[in-house]
Amino acid sequence: DQNAAGQARTGTIYQAQAAPEANWGLPDIVIATTVNFTAYKTGLVDGVVYHFRVAASNPVGYGPWTAGATSGPNIDSVSPTTGKAAGGVWVTVGGQRFGTAASNLNVWIGQTRCDPVVMLLPDEQFRCLAAGGTGGSKTLFLSIIGLDTQFPAAYFYQGPLVTGVDPSEVDADGGVAVTIAGQNFGVVDMSPLSFLQARGA
């Protein structure tokens, strides 16, 4: 266990900070300086993100700090990553620190709520029902009692696909209503634009 100046570790410094973003230059962030490998942060408050880091120490000084860890929720995976514009797809989200109560989870795909939320594995996995939407790739946003995180480009609403046009032929004078059938047109009237291209006889 070699650390500061290549000498053996004789102690460990633990730091914690309650802040949206870690700022290790602030005072009063040391939890403990101890020879143990474990330290505890007491007095944690619901809805507050805590950041932690650790460094080994010896009589020469202390070694490099570990990469910061956070107490907030973290998303590792989203499945499936694509669905129809009409919605109705159950989306499973995996990660850490989700808690145990689905009622505390607020989830959005883009700007649309993904609801209801069902807890599958406490702290690690839940699913929610994607509503209808359009616009391609969307970020998944998660908020748990004021602790927020996001997963960019998590879900993709499939683009429109035309499968039929009726009638298939009209007079050059126009003035005929044309019905277009297909998929992924969305669930509300978004004033879509359609273009008909003439073809030779």
Side-chain angles (χ1 to χ4, degrees):
D1 188 5
Q2 302 295 314
N3 294 285
Q7 296 188 26
R9 181 194 73 87
T10 58
T12 307
I13 302 174
Y14 299 87
Q15 291 185 338
Q17 182 184 39
E21 299 291 339
N23 181 358
W24 300 112
L26 296 178
D28 302 325
I29 58 176
V30 175
I31 303 175
T33 301
T34 174
V35 296
N36 300 320
F37 284 99
T38 303
Y40 298 93
K41 171 67 176 174
T42 60
L44 300 179
V45 178
D46 285 344
V48 175
V49 176
Y50 293 86
H51 300 271
F52 300 88
R53 70 176 185 172
V54 178
S57 65
N58 60 29
V60 176
Y62 60 86
W65 292 100
T66 61
T70 178
S71 64
N74 181 67
I75 298 173
D76 287 335
S77 63
V78 175
S79 179
T81 58
T82 184
K84 294 182 178 180
V89 177
W90 282 100
V91 178
T92 299
V93 180
Q96 301 86 38
R97 298 178 293 278
F98 295 153
T100 59
S103 59
N104 290 334
L105 277 63
N106 294 289
V107 189
W108 293 263
I109 295 178
Q111 296 181 334
T112 305
R113 285 294 295 268
C114 190
D115 191 69
V117 178
V118 178
M119 187 68 71
L120 301 178
L121 292 173
D123 256 352
E124 298 179 3
Q125 191 178 72
F126 67 86
R127 69 176 184 172
C128 61
L129 189 62
T134 58
S137 183
K138 301 292 183 181
T139 295
L140 187 143
F141 298 93
L142 171 63
S143 180
I144 306 176
I145 320 178
L147 303 177
D148 301 330
T149 190
Q150 58 183 271
F151 198 81
Y155 192 78
F156 185 85
Y157 282 109
Q158 297 170 1
L161 174 67
V162 175
T163 58
V165 177
D166 184 42
S168 60
E169 295 183 2
V170 296
D171 291 336
D173 295 335
V176 178
V178 176
T179 300
I180 301 174
Q183 302 173 2
N184 302 315
F185 293 159
V187 294
V188 296
D189 185 1
M190 301 185 68
S191 301
L193 297 177
S194 302
F195 299 91
L196 298 177
Q197 182 175 358
R199 65 183 181 186

